[in-house]
Amino acid sequence: MNRIFLPLLLALALSAFGCGDKPAQQADQEQPAKAETAEPIRLTYANFPPPITVPCVQMERFKEVLEERTGGRVQVETFPSGSLLKSKNMLRGVIEGQADIGCLSMSYQPGVFPTMTAVELPLGITSSKVASQVLFELYETLKPAEFDEVKVLTLFACPPSDVMSTAPVKSLADLQGFEIRASGTSGRFIELLGASPVAMPMPEVPDALQKNLVKGIFTSLEVMKDMKFAEFCPYMTTLNGPVYVFAVVMNKAKYDSLPDDVKQTLADLGPEQAAWTGEYWDQHVLDAIEWSKAEKGAELYTLTAEEQAAVAARTESLTDAWKASASAAGVDAEAVLAKVRELKAKYE
Ligand code: DTR
């Protein structure tokens, strides 16, 4: 009798204390559940220019930091060069969930971002770092309706625009009728100086330059190296023009589905990433200028003090034009401008 009842009693006692071997079927059912909780949160991140350019360098840095700070629980797959979404459908694509995260240039879509484009006005912002910090804090303070359909993760701006050209632009006289690629506020800025702006996203510029559709480009000078413009645009002219403004946005439903600690990591990363990108970009422009001169024999011209004063005077009207269009879009333009000026004074 003992031979039959003792093992049975032992088994019953062990299972009552929960320390016996689990039935094989139950153990099998639990294993997939464990694997599920260990599965990382996967996010896609779309960007429009080539991988070597600053908007994509900041994307890779954002990915690395987010993955590291979440201990690998978040994994980001990056898509540069418009391989998932191109510049003009970036915002719509993120709203519709074709990408979880997207990097967009607000300057490419005049009128769509009536508040944030105030940072592009010629108000004397001198660097990408200042512009990026102003942009980020402006957004955080005002939370303008133009981004209501997405979650904004970070914002940044390129350094003030200068000219790169196939023929020397040594003075304002050389700019007259000069066909030059420039979009948004930068386009209107250079037009007021007598040039003929042609708008197009950055990825289309190499082709346009090679086909002689434009004779130069008005943007931050690091593309002399990154986009190899020094090869066919060896002349640079400092104009200290407008910055172009960018936003990194996330699909709202995807963001809402994230755990609270990941949301907090993103909130902390936003302003830090803006400052990091600005600082990196400013330094990268200086490096690219030196590289273009040393490696490609490029030349850098600066305007005389009188011409610089003339540039400021001739482009002043941009601020009134922005006020009119922002007000027409329902924005309190005076309040936005006052805030931009206050933030500029804080960060410059
Ligand atoms: N100036 C804007 C922004 C910009 C500057 N460098 C790059 C490189 C790649 C994409 C955009 C930009 C522009 O020219 O588009």
Side-chain angles (χ1 to χ4, degrees):
M1 237 176 84
N2 269 358
R3 266 204 280 149
I4 299 167
F5 282 108
L6 269 178
L8 197 63
L9 271 174
L10 196 61
L12 276 172
L14 282 174
S15 70
F17 287 105
C19 49
D21 272 344
K22 289 191 174 114
Q25 198 191 348
Q26 194 184 334
D28 282 347
Q29 279 168 356
E30 280 177 12
Q31 264 163 17
K34 264 188 203 155
E36 248 169 51
T37 46
E39 190 60 28
I41 299 161
R42 295 190 189 280
L43 301 176
T44 54
Y45 186 153
N47 213 335
F48 64 92
I52 197 168
T53 59
V54 181
C56 286
V57 171
Q58 77 74 38
M59 169 171 77
E60 294 304 327
R61 191 260 175 185
F62 187 94
K63 163 195 161 79
E64 261 170 44
V65 174
L66 182 59
E67 289 181 350
E68 189 191 301
R69 292 188 188 166
T70 56
R73 279 191 304 132
V74 175
Q75 292 291 313
V76 183
E77 191 179 358
T78 55
F79 294 84
S81 304
S83 53
L84 185 56
L85 287 170
K86 300 205 188 308
S87 56
K88 292 215 171 122
N89 53 5
M90 193 63 75
L91 182 61
R92 181 80 2 232
V94 171
I95 292 170
E96 289 170 1
Q98 288 157 36
D100 299 319
I101 302 174
C103 173
L104 61 93
S105 168
M106 293 179 245
S107 316
Y108 292 176
Q109 289 162 284
V112 178
F113 305 98
T115 301
M116 301 305 289
T117 44
V119 179
E120 295 180 333
L121 294 171
L123 303 172
I125 290 180
T126 57
S127 70
S128 171
K129 185 168 184 189
V130 170
S132 301
Q133 289 174 308
V134 168
L135 196 64
F136 189 88
E137 196 168 329
L138 184 72
Y139 176 76
E140 285 296 305
T141 315
L142 304 179
K143 293 272 164 73
E146 57 217 49
F147 284 114
D148 270 358
E149 287 184 272
V150 286
K151 168 72 187 169
V152 173
L153 298 182
T154 192
L155 301 111
F156 55 87
C158 72
S161 294
D162 295 316
V163 171
M164 283 146 271
S165 49
T166 51
V169 175
K170 294 186 182 175
S171 68
L172 289 182
D174 293 333
L175 264 186
Q176 304 315 300
F178 202 74
E179 288 110 354
I180 192 159
R181 178 270 174 178
S183 306
T185 307
S186 282
R188 289 191 296 281
F189 182 98
I190 200 103
E191 194 169 24
L192 288 168
L193 300 182
S196 304
V198 183
M200 71 188 77
M202 183 61 86
E204 290 171 25
V205 179
D207 202 42
L209 274 170
Q210 267 155 359
K211 288 185 179 147
N212 211 20
L213 298 175
V214 289
K215 297 191 178 64
I217 159 165
F218 185 44
T219 186
S220 49
L221 290 174
E222 90 291 346
V223 286
M224 286 289 280
K225 184 174 185 194
D226 293 349
M227 303 281 291
K228 304 205 169 28
F229 291 153
E231 310 266 343
F232 33 94
C233 272
Y235 305 103
M236 304 176 273
T237 311
T238 307
L239 270 191
N240 285 319
V243 302
Y244 284 61
V245 288
F246 292 78
V248 176
V249 298
M250 183 168 185
N251 176 274
K252 260 201 159 165
K254 192 73 183 191
Y255 174 80
D256 290 340
S257 74
L258 295 174
D260 284 348
D261 64 319
V262 174
K263 285 182 181 155
Q264 188 56 51
T265 304
L266 285 169
D268 296 340
L269 183 52
E272 180 199 313
Q273 178 78 9
W276 183 92
T277 305
E279 205 166 314
Y280 175 85
W281 214 330
D282 289 326
Q283 185 55 46
H284 197 46
V285 164
L286 298 178
D287 295 345
I289 293 173
E290 286 320 306
W291 177 88
S292 305
K293 286 182 184 169
E295 301 294 322
K296 302 290 166 186
E299 289 172 33
L300 177 67
Y301 308 113
T302 42
L303 300 182
T304 61
E306 296 82 68
E307 284 204 305
Q308 283 173 30
V311 168
R314 281 160 73 173
T315 55
E316 228 174 38
S317 63
L318 281 174
T319 304
D320 282 338
W322 173 84
K323 273 195 223 165
S325 65
S327 306
V331 172
D332 183 349
E334 287 297 348
V336 172
L337 265 185
K339 192 73 200 167
V340 174
R341 288 198 170 104
E342 178 197 318
L343 292 171
K344 174 187 168 283
K346 172 177 169 181
Y347 288 111
E348 277 288 352

